[in-house]
Amino acid sequence: MRKTVLASLALLVLSGCASTWQSEMTFKVTEFYVHEAGGGTEQRVRLEPVGDLPEDAGQEDLKGVSILETDMPGNVGLNDGVVCTARHDSGTTTLSGCKRA
């Protein structure tokens, strides 16, 4: 009986860590910065979620989320709002299809 309970708890923990979700979300532009990657640099934009998070999302899923500056709509500045499709899978959140809010 004890082994069954422990196995059930382990499965609950693992399923919580492996949540997958996708949602259209509103973000605020908080920073433009240069990121060093693979021996080169890339211009990135850090975003902060605005409003309620999707049902399965945790704050840690969106902490420090960023996107390439070239993937942002034109004329977006600091503190501007953007709407992006956020997808979380296997512990990683990616953003796509961003447009000015």
Side-chain angles (χ1 to χ4, degrees):
M1 179 70 165
R2 184 179 291 192
K3 289 181 183 179
T4 303
V5 171
L6 289 175
S8 296
L9 286 174
L11 286 174
L12 284 173
V13 168
L14 289 175
S15 66
C17 295
S19 70
T20 298
W21 54 264
Q22 181 171 322
S23 180
E24 220 171 74
M25 296 181 61
T26 302
F27 294 89
K28 178 176 79 171
V29 175
T30 60
E31 179 183 21
F32 290 86
Y33 66 100
V34 176
H35 176 71
E36 292 185 27
T41 61
E42 56 189 21
Q43 300 291 322
R44 296 197 67 86
V45 180
R46 190 170 323 278
L47 303 171
E48 178 181 303
V50 176
D52 294 332
L53 299 180
E55 185 176 313
D56 294 339
Q59 195 67 29
E60 65 281 354
D61 295 342
L62 297 160
K63 184 176 182 177
V65 71
S66 68
I67 193 166
L68 288 171
E69 189 171 340
T70 55
D71 292 337
M72 293 296 291
N75 297 328
V76 172
L78 202 57
N79 294 319
D80 284 346
V82 293
V83 176
C84 305
T85 299
R87 177 171 172 72
H88 183 80
D89 192 18
S90 301
T92 303
T93 302
T94 56
L95 302 179
S96 62
C98 294
K99 55 188 179 265
R100 194 175 181 113

